[in-house]
Structures are given as C-alpha cells and as structure tokens.
Amino acid sequence: MSQSASPNPGEHGSGVPISALRADAHELSSEDFEDSHGNAFLMLTAAELHRPAGPSMTVVNLESDDETSDHTAGLSLLAYPIHRTERSVGHLITLGRTANNDVVIPDISVSRFHAFAKEVEGGGLAIQDAGSTNGTLVNSDSVPSQGHGPPMELKSGDSVRLGQVEFSYLDAHSLLDFLRAHEA
C-alpha cells in the first residue's frame, strides 16, 4: 500500500490487520517502510465497530480465523495509516466515516468528516476536530474545532478518541519497534 494510492476502504475502513505490516517490518529498512506505509498510525484494539447501515446499526466483528498474531484476548489489532491518499484535498489528511476520507473509520459514532490532521514542523502531525458530533480527544483533552483553537500536536503513545473509538497514536519508529519485537 503506497501513500499515494491506497485501496478503497473495506469492512475495516482504511485499517489493515497488523499481520499485513509484519513482513514489511522485518524485511524493509525503516525508510522503505515509511515510504511504503507512511510515518503515522492510529492503532485500534477492538472487538467490534458499530457501522451505520441505514436507519439502524450493524455490529461488525473484526475477529477473523486468519493469523492469530493479529489478536490478543479475542481482540483484533488494526493499524490505520495516517497519510494523504488520492482522495486528499490540499495539504490536509481527513479522518471520518465515509469513503471519501483519507482515513476511513466505519463506526457510527464517527462523523462523516470528523477531523483532519496536518504535518507540522519536524515531520510530526497535529489534529483538529472538524465540528464533529461526538468530538475528538487527545489524552482525554478535547481537541478544538477549526476556528475555536489551535490543533493539538500528536506524540507517539498518545491516546486519540474519535467519537467512541479509542486509538493509540504511533509514529512509524514506534510501530516498527512493536512489530519487530513481536514475531509472527
């Protein structure tokens, strides 16, 4: 999956099972891994997302019968690369529930266009809420909407919550350390 062209979001949105990154983490240099997958990730450990399905809600289980290294105590590990895609508009990376976002999170508590991220000096990312219904939090602190305060800079290990979905933010170096420490 390259930064410039990623596949259409599937049942996990733009999230990929951690096992899909494992081989590259062991075979590629850090620079090549970043070139291929990006330099920032939202990690989700969840049993389910609540997908919208018309007027009612459908529960989508993220558990599967494939490689058990993706699972811990019955929970799936997914990585959501945070990078620009062919859907990107301008310099912003959009996060939301619908397929026209760069980072697609198919949960009913996540707004269609929920938040956006942008690169900051030094190569990091800052996140800003886009006026979402259920808000954005970083380490339990509310992220202001555009025009109501500055974006919040993310640091590896931060907790990021979009709606009711809780993620851990990892830079590529931290994700690579995790993947290389946990052999398949």
Side-chain angles (χ1 to χ4, degrees):
M1 179 186 323
S2 73
Q3 290 188 57
S4 59
S6 57
N8 289 329
E11 76 173 293
H12 307 305
S14 58
V16 295
I18 200 83
S19 62
L21 302 174
R22 228 176 258 294
D24 283 354
H26 293 286
E27 296 169 8
L28 298 176
S29 69
S30 297
E31 294 79 19
D32 289 342
F33 184 89
E34 284 187 41
D35 287 345
S36 182
H37 300 287
N39 63 359
F41 301 85
L42 290 175
M43 299 297 297
L44 174 65
T45 305
E48 60 189 34
L49 287 174
H50 300 282
R51 288 179 70 106
S56 64
M57 170 176 18
T58 302
V59 174
V60 176
N61 290 321
L62 296 181
E63 297 180 42
S64 67
D65 292 333
D66 49 33
E67 199 171 318
T68 57
S69 63
D70 288 1
H71 300 79
T72 303
L75 300 177
S76 297
L77 299 176
L78 295 173
Y80 286 80
I82 307 172
H83 59 71
R84 295 169 44 115
T85 67
E86 70 277 358
R87 298 178 297 275
S88 297
V89 177
H91 66 286
L92 301 176
I93 301 164
T94 60
L95 297 88
R97 187 178 70 227
T98 58
N100 60 331
N101 288 286
D102 297 308
V103 180
V104 179
I105 304 151
D107 187 272
I108 196 147
S109 70
V110 175
S111 294
R112 288 182 199 128
F113 171 46
H114 196 97
F116 57 88
K118 60 183 177 179
E119 291 184 17
V120 295
E121 201 171 308
L125 285 179
I127 191 167
Q128 183 116 49
D129 189 79
S132 68
T133 301
N134 294 316
T136 303
L137 302 173
V138 172
N139 299 326
S140 301
D141 294 326
S142 289
V143 175
S145 295
Q146 187 175 21
H148 293 94
M152 293 181 87
E153 193 163 342
L154 296 172
K155 294 181 245 25
S156 198
D158 281 348
S159 170
V160 177
R161 186 174 179 152
L162 302 172
Q164 298 302 312
V165 184
E166 186 92 22
F167 297 93
S168 293
Y169 171 76
L170 294 179
D171 59 25
H173 179 75
S174 298
L175 178 60
L176 282 169
D177 285 348
F178 173 80
L179 290 169
R180 290 173 178 165
H182 296 86
E183 294 291 328

